[in-house]
Amino acid sequence: MTDQALVDLAFTMLSRSYAPYSNFPVGAALEGADGVVYTGCNVENAAYGSCICAERTALVKAISEGCRSFRRLAVVGNSPDYCWPCGSCRQMLYEFSPDLEVLVANKDHQFVKYTLRQLLPCGFGPDTLG
């Protein structure tokens, strides 16, 4: 799957988002090391602390299916700016794949690519615990 195809797949998740409070739908597509892709969308809740981001939705789906290593993640939104993963998502992803490629897109399906290590320098992971 090309980078653009992964981004486009993430865009299909925007319509499934539940974002009545922020009105900011987010979609994600996470590619496992085996090539299987797990999708996700953000799910908000009236108790704001219970909300879950699209990236973590895709990650938790993948983990629950037995996938523990990942290649790429696409994160998209309807904003003119790129849709960046939050700090919590960066930390959760770092646990499994610090060298993950992260594609962040704007509403026009244009994207930029970074590594997770670039987005979370000096990340805290399993190796940190010794």
Side-chain angles (χ1 to χ4, degrees):
M1 176 177 289
T2 66
D3 287 349
Q4 188 65 60
L6 192 68
V7 166
D8 292 343
L9 181 58
F11 269 101
T12 68
M13 296 307 297
L14 292 180
S15 64
R16 297 185 182 180
S17 169
Y18 180 74
Y21 306 105
S22 71
N23 293 310
F24 192 84
V26 178
L30 178 63
E31 181 183 27
D34 61 0
V36 175
V37 177
Y38 303 88
T39 56
C41 62
N42 56 326
V43 180
E44 295 180 350
N45 189 278
Y48 294 150
S50 298
C51 297
I52 186 168
C53 299
E55 303 93 302
R56 285 183 282 150
T57 298
L59 178 64
V60 169
K61 283 172 66 175
I63 297 300
S64 73
E65 295 296 322
C67 187
R68 301 282 191 277
S69 182
F70 306 97
R71 290 183 194 161
R72 293 179 298 168
L73 168 71
V75 184
V76 306
N78 284 327
S79 172
D81 194 5
Y82 297 112
C83 191
W84 300 98
C86 74
S88 293
C89 289
R90 294 176 196 200
Q91 179 60 49
M92 288 281 295
L93 291 160
Y94 194 91
E95 178 80 10
F96 298 96
S97 295
D99 295 312
L100 182 72
E101 290 183 347
V102 181
L103 314 172
V104 291
N106 63 19
K107 68 178 182 172
D108 297 321
H109 293 230
Q110 297 170 330
F111 65 91
V112 293
K113 185 189 313 189
Y114 290 87
T115 65
L116 186 55
R117 287 187 193 273
Q118 288 175 300
L119 297 177
L120 186 65
C122 305
F124 186 89
D127 294 342
T128 308
L129 299 175

